[in-house]
Amino acid sequence: MAADPQAALVALNRFGLGARPGDLAAAAADPRGFLAQEMAKPDVALIALTPDLAPTKTNLQAMFADQEQKRLQRLAAAQTQPPQDNKMASASPAPGAMQPPSNAAPANSASAQPKPDTPPANPTTMQMQAGAAAMTPPSAGAAPMMAPSSDAKPKPPEPPIEQKIFRAEALARFAQQIAADAGFAERMVAFWSNHFAVSVAKGQFVRVAAGSFEREAIRPYVFGRFADMLKAVEQHPTMLFYLDNQQSIGPNSKAGQSQHKGLNENLARETMELHTLGVGGGYSQADVTSLAAMITGWTFAGREGRIGEPGTFAFIPNWHEPGPKILLGKSYDQDGLAQGEAALSDLARHPSTATHIATKLARHFVADNPPPALVAKLAKAFHDSDGDLKIVSAALIEDDGAWKAPLTKIRNPSDFLIAAARALDYKASDPNPILGGLNALGMGLWQPPGPNGYPDVSEAWASPEAMKVRLDISWQIAQRVRDMGNPLSVLDTAAGLATSRETREAISRAETRQQALAILFMSPEFQRR
Amino acid sequence: MAFLCETPSPSRRALLLTGGAMVAWAYLPKFARAADGRDPRLIVIILRGALDGLSALAPVGDPDYARLHGDIALSLTGTNAALPLDSFFALNPSMPTFARLYKDGQALAVHAVATSYRERSHFDGQDVLESGYPGPGRVDSGWLNRAIANLPAGDKVRPVRGLGVGAVAPLVMRGHAPVLGWAPQNLPTAGDDLAARVLDLYKHRDPMLEQALREGLDTDKMATAGGLSGDMARSRGAMDQPAGMRQAAMGAAKLIVEDDGPRVAALEFDGWDTHANEGGATGQLANRLSGLDGAFDEFQKGLGDKWKDTAIVAITEFGRTARINGTVGTDHGTGTVAFLAGGAVKGGRMIADWPGLKDNQLYQNRDLAPTTDLRGVLKGLLADQFGLSAAVLGDKVFPESGAVKPMQGLIA
């Protein structure tokens, strides 16, 4: 087969994360094989633990300790001052089998970004980061209109624990995306992560555990079985907390009877509406209530670890609504944990789920209004393989229509920034520039507006305001690049022979390299996929 | 390579060191010339986009000038009245500071000047201008950095002597010698020129994106209530806007004026690529020239008693066509002007081996012909300010330029 520059561009942009130097040439000979090769790499989507990346339980244990420390500080402060407000004494309830685990989010849980100038929780826990600041040059100069001064600023306080963890997780994600061969696996990770969205806007808990959630519940399964991903997600502390299941108690359970507590339907509703069947997938409010009852008792162990290792999934039999339940016309008579698990397993293989997932995949990769034939094909692959995502993904990249469809999709902000980094062969050592870009472009990392995740249609990302910000961001990136060489070689990296004459001319006529690079990032070849 | 953006980070410092190994630089090169005890400073301003020397400093005495430059030609009277510097040359009226310094003997201009580059690519032209190599393709270091690197070693002081203004130091300042970096503000938003270029591309290739971006820009303009010549208020701090140029100079001056501050600095101003609606005494080019003029003003104000030892040189990659084009602008050319200002400059005069503007006198029947090698001007400044030898200048600082003699007498 002759090298096909257009297909190489499709491989890297529609299915991948954009070309790094040499990628287009590597993909041109066999664009489909290029993607299949990446898919075939063992553990391609996994991110290994490092000193900076811990399991969720470790992150949550650190958070529990942090919250306990703050509680004790408040108590101490309250004792040295005349009491003004009895709420100070609201020490967390003693966690135990009969009590919801203590994991109250801080009151300001909606704050999007912890302020960098937050004072340290406790100076005694500050670790000295000798020389850390000096190793990485700061990314920008003084604040606007600020006179430069040669005085070094005092050492900043230790950032809050959730910020440290969040940044480390963000950096790991960006590095993996930038280093990926084609980026198809990483695109799948992002797709599924957005499908099973959690948001750090919920507060400290999700902020410390969103990254590890993606590493533990999404990454191992992107080319595995959907049912396994579904179970890993719905039993993950991050999702249980995000959708409020950790305190959902069966009204007829022992705890429900003694404490007069009841169901929280949030997770059950989103499991069906968003995660599996989809809106109009054939479920009723009674089904939502029923599923909610089936997963009562699904929670996680709190700080004191009375129901398990702190920060891990736990099932509390005393909270579980007893008895058989009907879901989608089928009766489930299992006891305890097995009941909800059986329900999830059936939801995973429901025909509505296959269609829902197929539609979302086709919309994400190919077109806002996806071709019905492609949706049908993916749904069939999903159904026939019992949700084997490797087979579903292969069906997608083997579909002729998916390669030929016009490039109408606008890259979402994350794909756009990562593609820019890849085109520049940039090695991320600090997550903040990309995190800042994502925030500016309205796609803060792991921070969608709701459990339905970020939108996946072009109009959401190509609004007038968004395009203006994109122009500014393109300019800002371009101004920070040093030694970029000839911008036309960056163009050859990013779009190569698929570049239009007009785009090449606009770039070659720019008055500075920076301007040329900004035009390249704004070009249709770079914006659309 | 840095990437982008403005997430405030507690570790941000206003200054950063980049460049070679610190260990090798545990001493300060001898800047002060023992002979007369001066403490010289040199500031280089790179004007990116190719400045039209015939509109910035007009040869109003040349009989062919008005014909070639048409509607935007400056003159001694009328709507495009310029500031006469001598009987032949007149300065764009947007540059009163430079005119005053010229009168005070602290500014001069070299006209019909060019680097050794004779093609018309901005990228390559800027590489030659800044790298100091005879041709394009070498971007490992800039001539100003190599000038520092080749100074004789002096006292052991903190290893900071060069300053690069911008998110990334301009190429002219990059190299082995460590450089102080400072950016005048968080990177400003994109300016009108970039927006116009992207919109033009969309017009041909992507109407949907064109409409979206145009609306976004219009909304933004309404929200920020515009600025000079329709430039977005939010981008006023940009390096192609007068306010941004002034701000950069003000901040750089604060650093350079310090006793242990950098003695050599490089700034870059954008927006000189005036293909359309260039304007004459007013308009696009005049607006940007007023920014350059503002930078001279800020340096004089900010450097205080150090001003007397300071030389500033503003240079561009090449000039523009002598004839205006169909869109009342000019296209890429060759010969142009270089501005020198500062208390150390032996000013009040024009330096030009004027080639004339008759059709057969134009370079390729198109551009102001270059009669002076810009490297000679720069070598003259480096030799007189810092005592660098002609051999070092011709070999290390401007490789393969032995035949280009340092221009004498630029420094008082």
Side-chain angles (χ1 to χ4, degrees):
Chain A
M1 190 181 117
D4 182 349
Q6 192 63 33
L9 194 73
V10 171
L12 278 151
N13 291 2
R14 166 160 294 167
F15 296 115
L17 281 168
R20 295 161 309 157
D23 282 350
L24 282 175
D30 179 10
R32 297 181 194 199
F34 183 70
L35 299 178
Q37 210 170 11
E38 186 188 52
M39 235 169 85
K41 278 179 132 178
D43 300 337
V44 61
L46 295 188
I47 291 181
L49 295 179
T50 67
D52 293 328
L53 300 177
T56 298
K57 64 179 182 186
T58 310
N59 292 338
L60 291 177
Q61 285 163 13
M63 180 194 74
F64 293 149
D66 182 58
Q67 289 179 347
E68 179 64 6
Q69 193 180 54
K70 286 185 181 136
R71 188 182 67 85
L72 295 173
Q73 279 173 341
R74 281 197 304 270
L75 279 176
Q79 283 163 0
T80 57
Q81 292 167 358
Q84 300 172 333
D85 182 345
N86 270 344
K87 274 192 287 190
M88 279 312 275
S90 70
S92 52
M98 304 296 285
Q99 282 275 12
S102 147
N103 47 35
N108 65 345
S109 61
S111 74
Q113 279 276 40
K115 292 188 179 62
D117 53 358
T118 311
N122 181 346
T124 59
T125 63
M126 271 183 65
Q127 297 165 3
M128 292 308 290
Q129 292 178 299
M135 293 304 291
T136 50
S139 57
M145 300 307 291
M146 198 173 118
S149 98
S150 36
D151 300 335
K153 288 214 179 84
K155 205 167 184 59
E158 184 77 0
I161 172 174
E162 63 270 23
Q163 192 173 329
K164 266 177 72 174
I165 294 172
F166 177 81
R167 283 186 188 159
E169 294 283 358
L171 182 60
R173 186 197 219 233
F174 299 150
Q176 179 105 338
Q177 289 177 317
I178 292 168
D181 291 346
F184 183 52
E186 288 303 309
R187 284 282 301 279
M188 282 293 182
V189 170
F191 170 84
W192 288 112
S193 191
N194 193 56
H195 178 79
F196 291 114
V198 297
S199 177
V200 300
K202 182 105 172 174
Q204 190 186 25
F205 188 105
V206 183
R207 190 166 278 275
V208 299
S212 52
F213 165 76
E214 184 176 280
R215 280 189 292 106
E216 293 163 5
I218 306 291
R219 290 185 172 275
Y221 308 103
V222 290
F223 295 134
R225 289 184 66 250
F226 175 76
D228 295 340
M229 194 190 303
L230 182 66
K231 178 168 175 251
V233 164
E234 312 302 2
Q235 293 187 340
H236 198 280
T238 312
M239 185 61 81
L240 291 165
F241 176 84
Y242 177 60
L243 291 178
D244 308 313
N245 204 73
Q246 84 278 14
Q247 299 192 40
S248 177
I249 295 174
N252 299 306
S253 68
K254 287 184 185 166
Q257 291 291 298
S258 66
Q259 300 177 40
H260 307 292
K261 294 228 159 106
L263 291 181
N264 185 315
E265 293 180 353
N266 203 3
L267 179 59
R269 176 180 307 283
E270 304 307 11
T271 294
M272 287 197 276
E273 180 180 320
L274 301 174
H275 300 170
T276 57
L277 309 174
V279 176
Y283 61 94
S284 64
Q285 174 55 42
D287 290 314
V288 172
T289 308
S290 188
L291 180 61
M294 293 162 95
I295 58 173
T296 41
W298 290 30
T299 184
F300 52 85
R303 187 176 63 85
E304 300 192 1
R306 301 202 184 168
I307 54 173
E309 190 182 3
T312 62
F313 174 73
F315 177 73
I316 304 181
N318 285 349
W319 291 12
H320 186 70
E321 180 73 1
K325 300 170 190 76
I326 307 280
L327 180 68
L328 300 169
K330 178 178 168 182
S331 177
Y332 292 80
D333 345 344
Q334 295 88 342
D335 277 336
L337 178 61
Q339 192 174 51
E341 289 181 342
L344 284 187
S345 174
D346 287 343
L347 287 170
R349 57 167 53 108
H350 194 283
S352 295
T353 299
T355 305
H356 180 216
I357 300 291
T359 307
K360 282 189 78 173
L361 274 170
R363 176 178 300 131
H364 177 75
F365 283 99
V366 180
D368 291 352
N369 296 309
L374 176 61
V375 173
K377 182 180 191 172
L378 296 177
K380 185 172 188 311
F382 188 98
H383 182 267
D384 292 353
S385 69
D386 201 15
D388 184 332
L389 299 179
K390 192 166 216 152
I391 289 174
V392 176
S393 304
L396 173 69
I397 58 172
E398 283 160 15
D399 182 75
D400 289 350
W403 288 85
K404 294 206 174 82
L407 304 177
T408 55
K409 298 276 300 185
I410 298 285
R411 270 185 168 140
N412 71 31
S414 175
D415 293 352
F416 165 55
L417 293 175
I418 295 296
R422 285 169 62 96
L424 294 167
D425 211 12
Y426 165 74
K427 304 283 181 280
S429 56
D430 173 2
N432 282 355
I434 300 178
L435 285 171
L438 288 172
N439 289 338
L441 290 163
M443 199 182 181
L445 181 64
W446 298 315
Q447 201 178 331
N452 52 342
Y454 284 111
D456 205 5
V457 290
S458 294
E459 69 177 339
W461 302 121
S463 68
E465 169 58 16
M467 289 307 293
K468 165 74 176 81
V469 176
R470 235 172 241 232
L471 181 72
D472 290 338
I473 295 270
S474 296
W475 176 234
Q476 298 199 346
I477 297 172
Q479 282 178 281
R480 294 189 178 277
V481 179
R482 54 182 305 166
D483 308 332
M484 72 172 83
N486 192 326
L488 290 167
S489 13
V490 186
L491 174 64
D492 289 336
T493 290
L497 298 169
T499 311
S500 72
R501 181 178 55 82
E502 291 91 341
T503 293
R504 190 170 292 275
E505 265 175 16
I507 291 167
S508 56
R509 285 179 183 166
E511 79 170 4
T512 64
R513 278 188 158 73
Q514 278 67 30
Q515 191 183 59
L517 200 55
I519 294 169
L520 161 59
F521 291 147
M522 290 303 288
S523 69
E525 288 88 338
F526 206 85
Q527 289 292 332
R528 292 194 184 267
R529 58 167 185 80
Chain B
M1 190 202 97
F3 193 51
L4 69 103
C5 239
E6 296 163 44
T7 37
S9 108
S11 67
R12 174 184 296 175
R13 294 167 297 162
L15 303 171
L16 56 141
L17 273 168
T18 57
M22 292 294 123
V23 183
W25 287 94
Y27 56 82
L28 186 70
K30 263 203 191 62
F31 276 113
R33 290 193 307 179
D36 55 13
R38 287 197 319 124
D39 186 5
R41 284 160 168 80
L42 175 64
I43 297 162
V44 176
I45 303 176
I46 304 288
L47 307 177
R48 297 189 188 283
L51 166 69
D52 182 1
L54 297 176
S55 285
L57 217 170
V60 290
D62 187 301
D64 291 285
Y65 167 68
R67 168 180 65 88
L68 293 167
H69 243 48
D71 291 351
I72 62 170
L74 300 180
S75 57
L76 293 175
T77 54
T79 49
N80 271 335
L83 311 170
L85 294 183
D86 62 16
S87 59
F88 190 82
F89 288 106
L91 182 68
N92 192 294
S94 61
M95 298 184 74
T97 302
F98 189 86
R100 173 175 55 78
L101 292 170
Y102 186 94
K103 214 172 284 160
D104 295 347
Q106 297 192 351
L108 65 83
V110 186
H111 221 313
V113 76
T115 67
S116 52
Y117 179 70
R118 289 293 173 274
E119 303 302 314
R120 296 189 174 91
S121 149
H122 290 302
F123 311 145
D124 288 346
Q126 286 165 34
D127 284 352
V128 172
L129 176 75
E130 295 182 85
S131 72
Y133 286 95
R138 294 290 303 273
V139 291
D140 48 293
S141 60
W143 57 263
L144 195 53
N145 189 289
R146 290 197 305 275
I148 297 172
N150 282 284
L151 289 169
D155 311 325
K156 298 201 173 192
V157 196
R158 79 188 177 114
V160 172
R161 66 210 55 75
L163 168 69
V165 176
V168 173
L171 170 60
V172 71
M173 201 64 184
R174 299 209 294 262
H176 288 298
V179 170
L180 193 66
W182 174 70
Q185 60 157 297
N186 287 339
L187 297 178
T189 54
D192 281 358
D193 184 48
L194 172 60
R197 289 173 193 246
V198 172
L199 285 171
D200 185 59
L201 172 58
Y202 285 169
K203 193 167 77 190
H204 293 99
R205 299 292 311 176
D206 204 322
M208 188 198 109
L209 289 185
E210 186 202 5
Q211 192 189 342
L213 180 58
R214 196 175 289 284
E215 273 178 39
L217 291 163
D218 288 349
T219 308
D220 186 67
K221 265 189 202 169
M222 279 188 285
T224 51
L228 293 158
S229 72
D231 281 307
M232 284 166 279
R234 280 204 301 146
S235 67
R236 280 203 202 156
M239 280 308 130
D240 63 352
Q241 295 303 314
M245 298 181 195
R246 260 187 189 272
Q247 207 179 308
M250 193 194 309
K254 285 199 166 89
L255 292 167
I256 299 165
V257 75
E258 295 288 331
D259 284 337
D260 60 350
R263 302 295 196 279
V264 174
L267 295 78
E268 52 193 354
F269 296 163
D270 297 343
W272 310 96
D273 194 23
T274 47
H275 283 283
N277 306 316
E278 181 175 311
T282 57
Q284 195 189 152
L285 177 64
N287 184 34
R288 299 210 157 101
L289 287 170
S290 77
L292 174 62
D293 201 60
F296 291 137
D297 185 41
E298 295 294 344
F299 275 123
Q300 185 180 19
K301 284 196 297 214
L303 290 175
D305 62 345
K306 308 289 195 315
W307 173 254
K308 68 179 188 312
D309 292 338
T310 297
I312 308 170
V313 61
I315 52 181
T316 189
E317 67 259 37
F318 42 69
R320 309 192 70 84
T321 49
R323 299 180 191 90
I324 55 170
N325 61 23
T327 51
V328 203
T330 49
D331 298 316
H332 301 186
T334 309
T336 185
V337 70
F339 291 108
L340 278 70
V345 171
K346 198 168 170 183
R349 62 210 169 107
M350 285 293 307
I351 299 175
D353 174 6
W354 192 248
L357 293 173
K358 301 233 173 301
D359 288 357
N360 64 355
Q361 293 170 323
L362 297 177
Y363 178 73
Q364 296 184 345
N365 186 19
R366 167 189 162 105
D367 312 332
L368 172 63
T371 54
T372 300
D373 192 318
L374 182 60
R375 289 173 297 179
V377 179
L378 302 173
K379 282 180 170 190
L381 283 173
L382 289 169
D384 286 359
Q385 283 290 73
F386 302 123
L388 282 162
S389 71
V392 166
L393 289 167
D395 183 32
K396 299 272 197 303
V397 181
F398 294 98
E400 302 167 50
S401 72
V404 182
K405 296 282 165 283
M407 191 177 273
Q408 303 287 311
L410 293 172
I411 298 297

